[in-house]
Amino acid sequence: MINLTVVKETIHENLTQPFFLFAALIELTAVFLFSFGIELRYENEVLTGLGFFGRMIEDQVYIMSREFLRSFSGILVYFLMFLFIIGGSATHLGMLQSPLTAVILTKPVSRSVLFLSKFLGLWILVTVLVLAFSVILWCIAFYKSSGNMPTEVLLAPLSFSLEFGVIFAFSAFTAMLVENQTGVSILSLIVYFYVGRMAGNFTLPPVVHTLSLLLPPTGAMNFVTLGSILSGGVDFSVFLRGLPYVIISLGAGVYLFHRKDLR
Amino acid sequence: MAPILETRSVSKSYRIGLRGEFVHALQDVSMSVGEGQVFALLGLNGAGKSTLTKIFLDLVRANSGEVLLFGEPARTSGWKRHVGYLPELFSAPGSMTIRGVLHYLGQLSGLRGTILNQRVNAELEELSLTDLSERRVSTLSKGNVLRLGIAQALLHQPRLLFLDEPTEGLDPAGRRMIRNLLIRLAISGVTILLNSHLLSEVELVAHRLGILHRGKLVASGSSSDLLPPHQRFQVEIAVIPPEERAWHHAKTAGIWTREVEGADDLQHLLSSLKSHAITPLAVKPLQTTLEDVFLEHISDLNK
């Protein structure tokens, strides 16, 4: 079901795309800021001060520590998600519009294999980028906190990686449905940043919450993970709910791709 | 001999936009190509040539009709190891090198290791791309991208080649190189389906021709089948002719011209002129080219 040559080439091709280059640049900038701009002061394994380029904050340190964890595990990667979604939409739509795709499909490669291999290549690339980025930041924070940075925090970027799987599967499916990059990007961004996170919101009225279960649980995994970290224990239910969405989206995408005429 | 490539009553139509015009890209097209033949599809832009090629390759699905490759329906994938394809406006990711593109597509064709390297080098040599092999696609000229497209189509030594506008954008030297390459491939037994606007090129390499117009195959056969069987002549006179409507009047020169086909018609016209005491200024034999035949078919249908 997967062609490793296509997976490898998808990674290589996307790595040189402007969106991904820009994302890599942002990651490098963040690593630079973390390395030289952030200072963590611990006393008896308790965070007592958080410094940013020499300006030390000592009030409300407990809240600050939570915000720090949130920033570390979420906000930086969250911003990159915007770039990855747009870049991913271009890759998925390229399957219908690129002359090279037409050539590949005259080789012994089926449409299903091409579709799934492109998806997997994209997912691997983004996951590796985000995880590598997060681990580097974690290592810097671990060093600066004299070993007080909890390992569990790394579960948050891992949960992002799983979200990439869900949202890329969704955008691969919508690419086959609407055949327009702007349309695919907008739909994916709406689902990720607005609609999808409803699936993780347990404070919604019961009816709305039940309906929200029909949505891909994107934008929710990170918060669930973060909550799990801060309160102890990990809730895997959202991850498990993401899996059927990936399977259904990819299945529907493959079905539509088989029925499409290539331009 | 069983045809390598065959369509039976293939039709394809699609709608432009959600509520747009319904376009009949192909209408009831039936044709076949035998092993080792070079079949050229001719037609204006939008005639349906590329659509027909894509239907053969299962990239576009026909609404009706049957498409066979090597005697098997195109929907089966058994033909995939034996087919090479150059799409119209071939392109590859700009960040890849020429060698990288060939390695990638060679691997997808099932080539590995030493054989893959040998084949890549051979095609780079054949298409005069060896010196450019490490250049990125984004830095190549249009002509060199086309050469790369042809190289990838030939990489796995296919038995059947689909070439969509293989000389578009090439300089005269490049066109000659591709023409000679096609002739060599045809001699070695490769079957070729060629789409082209360049009729003079096609005339030199194709065994058989098909003229597509507005989705219909309006003529097909060998060059000699399509060219008129009789020699055409142009007769020139300097006085007002007896049947004025049949003549073209070149006002500035004061000369009237008329074309006739075959020696009998020419003789008849000359006798008629003689009976009116008109001496022709000149009788010129005309050469009918494929372009004349093509334009004649197109204009007949446009009337």
Side-chain angles (χ1 to χ4, degrees):
Chain A
M1 289 304 279
I2 297 296
N3 185 310
L4 290 179
T5 309
V6 176
V7 172
K8 205 173 99 184
E9 196 43 52
T10 304
I11 292 172
H12 177 258
E13 192 185 325
N14 278 295
L15 205 49
T16 53
Q17 291 297 313
F19 287 115
F20 290 89
L21 284 174
F22 188 50
L25 196 67
I26 289 172
E27 290 186 357
L28 285 175
T29 309
V31 168
F32 176 81
L33 291 177
F34 247 69
S35 303
F36 300 106
I38 300 248
E39 194 184 330
L40 301 170
R41 195 172 66 205
Y42 279 82
E43 283 172 18
N44 298 325
E45 297 183 2
V46 175
L47 187 68
T48 56
L50 188 63
F52 191 69
F53 284 101
R55 192 172 167 183
M56 187 61 71
I57 301 163
E58 291 172 334
D59 297 335
Q60 297 180 311
V61 171
Y62 177 69
I63 295 170
M64 288 303 298
S65 70
R66 288 178 67 97
E67 285 308 308
F68 176 73
L69 285 175
R70 183 187 285 270
S71 305
F72 172 78
S73 58
I75 289 170
L76 287 170
V77 184
Y78 211 61
F79 179 66
L80 296 179
M81 184 62 108
F82 183 81
L83 293 169
F84 290 144
I85 284 176
I86 295 174
S89 305
T91 298
H92 294 130
L93 211 66
M95 281 192 280
L96 288 172
Q97 295 173 345
S98 155
L100 195 65
T101 303
V103 172
I104 291 169
L105 289 176
T106 63
K107 313 285 180 196
V109 177
S110 71
R111 291 190 184 213
S112 313
V113 168
L114 180 67
F115 186 93
L116 295 175
S117 303
K118 286 262 180 191
F119 163 78
L120 188 64
L122 193 64
W123 189 19
I124 288 173
L125 169 67
V126 172
T127 296
V128 168
L129 275 178
V130 167
L131 286 182
F133 169 63
S134 302
V135 168
I136 290 169
L137 290 189
W138 182 85
C139 287
I140 296 168
F142 186 81
Y143 173 75
K144 292 196 168 202
S145 66
S146 307
N148 284 303
M149 181 56 59
T151 316
E152 292 83 354
V153 174
L154 283 172
L155 280 173
L158 187 66
S159 75
F160 261 112
S161 306
L162 295 170
E163 283 197 330
F164 286 129
V166 178
I167 197 65
F168 284 159
F170 177 78
S171 74
F173 162 65
T174 46
M176 296 299 130
L177 200 64
V178 300
E179 296 184 39
N180 175 295
Q181 198 195 328
T182 311
V184 175
S185 299
I186 290 173
L187 272 174
S188 302
L189 289 170
I190 288 173
V191 164
Y192 185 79
F193 286 103
Y194 295 101
V195 182
R197 65 172 58 186
M198 286 168 67
N201 189 345
F202 294 95
T203 59
L204 292 170
V207 177
V208 181
H209 178 69
T210 307
L211 285 174
S212 76
L213 295 176
L214 297 171
L215 300 167
T218 56
M221 289 182 183
N222 174 254
F223 290 101
V224 171
T225 311
L226 190 65
S228 305
I229 293 164
L230 294 176
S231 59
V234 180
D235 179 5
F236 285 104
S237 63
V238 178
F239 301 104
L240 292 175
R241 278 208 301 112
L243 189 64
Y245 282 101
V246 172
I247 293 169
I248 290 166
S249 296
L250 290 180
V254 166
Y255 173 76
L256 288 175
F257 190 36
H258 269 277
R259 297 175 62 87
K260 291 283 175 190
D261 289 341
L262 266 73
R263 288 172 201 168
Chain B
M1 192 196 318
I4 289 257
L5 205 58
E6 194 174 5
T7 60
R8 295 175 190 155
S9 303
V10 164
S11 296
K12 173 70 183 175
S13 52
Y14 54 87
R15 193 186 287 276
I16 301 173
L18 282 176
R19 292 183 174 183
E21 189 187 348
F22 212 64
V23 175
H24 297 285
L26 291 171
Q27 295 180 63
D28 202 24
V29 173
S30 297
M31 58 171 276
S32 65
V33 183
E35 187 160 12
Q37 280 187 343
V38 179
F39 189 101
L41 274 174
L42 309 175
L44 301 174
N45 289 330
K49 306 187 297 294
S50 294
T51 304
L52 183 56
T53 303
K54 286 177 182 171
I55 284 176
F56 273 123
L57 293 166
D58 199 33
L59 300 172
V60 167
R61 304 276 157 77
N63 297 119
S64 61
E66 204 175 353
V67 185
L68 302 171
L69 273 90
F70 300 99
E72 300 286 326
R75 294 296 294 268
T76 62
S77 56
W79 49 268
K80 285 195 165 186
R81 286 189 186 277
H82 310 296
V83 165
Y85 173 49
L86 168 73
E88 191 182 12
L89 305 174
F90 173 81
S91 69
S95 59
M96 292 177 85
T97 62
I98 288 184
R99 191 178 289 278
V101 173
L102 293 178
H103 266 272
Y104 175 43
L105 294 174
Q107 282 176 16
L108 294 181
S109 299
L111 302 176
R112 294 283 183 274
T114 318
I115 294 172
L116 174 62
N117 287 330
Q118 283 173 353
R119 287 300 307 142
V120 167
N121 288 334
E123 289 312 322
L124 287 171
E125 187 73 33
E126 184 149 50
L127 274 301
S128 307
L129 289 169
T130 306
D131 293 342
L132 305 173
S133 63
E134 300 307 326
R135 286 261 301 268
R136 289 180 186 275
V137 173
S138 59
T139 66
L140 297 177
S141 66
K142 191 178 169 189
N144 283 331
V145 172
L146 186 61
R147 285 173 198 232
L148 170 61
I150 295 170
Q152 64 77 24
L154 298 174
L155 198 59
H156 52 298
Q157 298 176 297
R159 287 169 58 198
L160 173 60
L161 259 181
F162 291 86
L163 303 175
D164 203 344
E165 308 290 357
T167 54
E168 190 88 354
L170 286 181
D171 55 29
R175 281 211 294 273
R176 175 173 287 187
M177 187 187 76
I178 300 303
R179 192 170 64 216
N180 291 338
L181 174 64
L182 294 183
I183 291 169
R184 281 205 304 277
L185 288 167
I187 290 169
S188 66
V190 176
T191 308
I192 302 172
L193 184 82
L194 182 66
N195 288 356
S196 184
H197 295 296
L198 296 171
L199 303 179
S200 53
E201 295 290 326
V202 162
E203 212 165 7
L204 293 165
V205 295
H207 300 120
R208 290 179 63 224
L209 309 158
I211 298 176
L212 268 175
H213 186 55
R214 293 179 182 168
K216 289 181 180 168
L217 191 67
V218 294
S220 72
S222 64
S223 298
S224 54
D225 291 339
L226 295 178
L227 290 170
H230 302 297
Q231 174 69 56
R232 288 164 64 232
F233 299 92
Q234 187 183 57
V235 180
E236 292 180 5
I237 56 174
V239 294
I240 298 172
E243 298 163 21
E244 208 174 319
R245 282 185 184 174
W247 293 76
H248 296 286
H249 185 204
K251 282 179 185 171
T252 48
I255 290 172
W256 297 77
T257 63
R258 183 172 172 180
E259 288 179 15
V260 289
E261 196 171 304
D264 290 347
D265 284 2
L266 176 66
Q267 206 54 50
H268 182 73
L269 179 64
L270 293 176
S271 303
S272 164
L273 290 173
K274 194 176 178 183
S275 67
H276 289 85
I278 298 171
T279 308
L281 282 180
V283 177
K284 297 175 183 170
L286 296 174
Q287 192 182 355
T288 307
T289 63
L290 193 55
E291 189 170 273
D292 297 324
V293 174
F294 174 69
L295 291 174
E296 199 174 307
H297 275 287
I298 303 298
S299 60
D300 279 356
L301 289 158
N302 281 340
K303 279 176 189 170

